Amino acid sequence: MTDTALEPPEDQATSAAHGDDKGPGSLHDELLGKLRDFIVEGNLADGARVPERALCELFNISRTPLREALKVLAAEGLIELLPNRGARIRALSPDDIRDLFDLMGGLEALAGRLACERITDEEIAEIEQIHHDMYRHYLRRDMHEYFRSNQAIHQKILAAARNPSLTATYANLSGRIRRVRYTANLARDRDRWGEAMREHEAVLDALRRRSGGELANILFAHLRNKRKAAQGQT
Amino acid sequence: MTDTALEPPEDQATSAAHGDDKGPGSLHDELLGKLRDFIVEGNLADGARVPERALCELFNISRTPLREALKVLAAEGLIELLPNRGARIRALSPDDIRDLFDLMGGLEALAGRLACERITDEEIAEIEQIHHDMYRHYLRRDMHEYFRSNQAIHQKILAAARNPSLTATYANLSGRIRRVRYTANLARDRDRWGEAMREHEAVLDALRRRSGGELANILFAHLRNKRKAAQGQT
DNA sequence: CACCCACTTTTTGCATTCATTTATTGGGAA
DNA sequence: TTCCCAATAAATGAATGCAAAAAGTGGGTG
């Protein structure tokens, strides 16, 4: 009972799975990541049964850890667990997708709002740099690179919000609709490419002025328009 | 191979645990709910180990379903799973709490924004009714009833947003900070009671005018002020 | 007396096994 | 032939058992 080794829990321990961080974790988490990728990448059809046994031998593990992973994925909303009928890939209805996009839009708006409070001049300069790159890609009609720059900007804003819980929640939703995004018709984006560029100008402007409320409005509307372009008009 | 019983998955199945709905579910979900309540209600101290064996005999189940439930709770962010050292109650730092409050504020802002698009006159009338009740409680200094009305209004706005994913995410975060809320000093609220009432007037006003952006700003600021009152000033 | 190392005990993680429920198939009756 | 029901087969949900890792303990040494 000396006082040398009397420390509180001494956590710097990485949380497991709710997404805050991607710590090394146990073997189990490795499986979880693999399985999540496997599903997100669309190897299973919407609404399809998740073949427990097949996955077991695919990953060379027994059912126990696999079932634990499935429970987690269900909690994340990627699959649904039917009482005594196993797991199914969660199929997203158009309404579900609309709701998820709105939710992501709300989170982006929040990120912008918080970023305005905390972002440094250097970070704004970085974003301006990416913005200019993006404009170059736009002029060259390089859709792929444009898209990458676009993502990078939103990611920078998210980072500037400095809110790990927000980042984790955003990542979770991203995962849920990634399946859709792969299949989504991005060509529609092309129609409003110029419009999107103008919206991004406005984003940068509001960010420079640190006008949180404005930026929130712009970012939410930005995602709204994106969704409308992708989804008929609903 | 007749065509009589050849239907697609035929889901109306309730998802398990990611919170969208509270379907009946299996026995497992019942355990999960009990365990979640057990933790949320604060029966275990912050950072304390979650005694696997003890909970097993408390709920009269074996370790397998318990561990599955723990995995889910970890995914929800209530506990953290340490690689080979078991589960611990997730302790929230002041920064974590600040971040969660901001996140909830962002979701409330979004709820307000969406509600402005979809709310009916009848629903607004209901909220006005509750608002007046709340004002009565305010005049009578009935903190408890005031608080209930307050909650009810925010809940109505959330419902008017008609976005199940948003509702589920909000519920999840609510659970995470409920532990804190219990211990939080609500007396501080009293100091800004009048201010909060005025903010609520503004909420109602923006809602009547269906001014989404404004309402978003007001609701976010509302939660910000609430947090500041509860948390020193950070 | 303090520190370190090996040993015991406990706990975790996973595999295996068992009971129950669900899906499937084959046969019989209308 | 078509429909329905019973018997079989398969899969799920949970309990137990086992190897490995961590925590706790005691003895020896500097």
Side-chain angles (χ1 to χ4, degrees), chain B residues 31 66 74 103 118 134 137 211 224 227:
Chain B
L31 160 68
L66 183 86
L103 186 44
R118 296 165 188 171
M134 186 172 74
H137 303 316
S211 176
R224 257 296 167 79
R227 178 191 32 102

Side-chain angles (χ1 to χ4, degrees), chain A residues 52 63 67 83-84:
Chain A
E52 217 171 77
R63 284 179 53 220
R67 297 188 82 252
N84 272 323

Side-chain angles (χ1 to χ4, degrees), chain A:
Chain A
M1 284 45 173
T2 66
D3 54 341
T4 57
L6 194 71
E7 308 163 291
E10 180 180 5
D11 302 338
Q12 49 127 25
T14 64
S15 103
H18 74 291
D20 275 10
D21 35 48
K22 279 268 181 180
S26 64
L27 285 314
H28 169 274
D29 290 332
E30 194 184 327
L31 161 69
L32 202 154
K34 284 187 193 172
L35 219 173
R36 186 169 16 221
D37 290 346
F38 187 80
I39 290 178
V40 166
E41 285 169 11
N43 298 65
L44 271 49
D46 268 12
R49 272 182 90 106
V50 179
E52 217 171 77
R53 178 161 292 278
L55 291 180
C56 279
E57 60 186 43
L58 173 59
F59 293 113
N60 279 331
I61 45 150
S62 81
R63 284 179 53 220
T64 307
L66 183 84
R67 297 188 82 252
E68 289 178 354
L70 289 180
K71 285 287 196 305
V72 172
L73 294 182
E76 290 176 9
L78 257 86
I79 63 178
E80 45 190 9
L81 262 31
L82 286 67
N84 272 323
R85 257 165 285 170
R88 289 243 175 82
I89 299 293
R90 183 152 195 227
L92 297 178
S93 71
D95 277 5
D96 289 335
I97 295 169
R98 181 196 45 149
D99 289 350
L100 284 173
F101 261 87
D102 274 353
L103 186 44
M104 303 259 310
L107 294 183
E108 290 226 25
L110 173 62
R113 206 187 279 274
L114 296 177
C116 280
E117 298 177 355
R118 296 166 188 170
I119 197 168
T120 66
D121 292 337
E122 288 73 26
E123 285 173 307
I124 290 186
E126 285 177 30
I127 291 178
E128 280 177 332
Q129 179 61 49
I130 302 175
H131 182 85
H132 293 139
D133 292 348
M134 186 172 74
Y135 189 62
R136 277 211 339 270
H137 304 316
Y138 166 66
L139 291 181
R140 290 185 187 171
R141 300 282 148 187
D142 185 341
M143 189 94 182
H144 183 65
E145 281 303 313
Y146 167 85
F147 196 69
R148 281 175 49 88
S149 295
N150 189 339
Q151 291 263 36
I153 288 175
H154 288 283
Q155 210 59 40
K156 287 274 181 189
I157 292 176
L158 196 61
R162 317 214 199 293
N163 186 324
S165 294
L166 169 57
T167 304
T169 304
Y170 190 89
N172 177 12
L173 296 178
S174 274
R176 275 204 233 175
I177 61 174
R178 190 160 310 153
R179 277 179 57 90
V180 174
R181 229 180 221 175
Y182 277 155
T183 70
N185 190 357
L186 292 188
R188 290 287 186 84
D189 258 17
R190 199 162 244 142
D191 296 343
R192 59 177 295 279
W193 211 349
E195 188 184 333
M197 267 309 300
R198 280 195 299 281
E199 286 167 6
H200 264 274
E201 299 276 1
V203 165
L204 201 52
D205 179 58
L207 197 54
R208 281 201 203 91
R209 287 182 289 109
R210 263 88 168 175
S211 176
E214 258 183 83
L215 182 52
N217 289 336
I218 295 167
L219 283 171
F220 180 76
H222 181 60
L223 239 70
R224 259 294 168 79
N225 294 334
K226 196 174 191 172
R227 194 226 333 138
K228 280 184 181 166
Q231 252 202 345
Q233 46 184 352
T234 303

Side-chain angles (χ1 to χ4, degrees), chain B residues 124-134 136:
Chain B
I124 290 186
E126 284 177 31
I127 291 178
E128 280 177 331
Q129 179 61 50
I130 302 174
H131 182 86
H132 293 139
D133 291 347
M134 186 172 74
R136 277 211 338 270

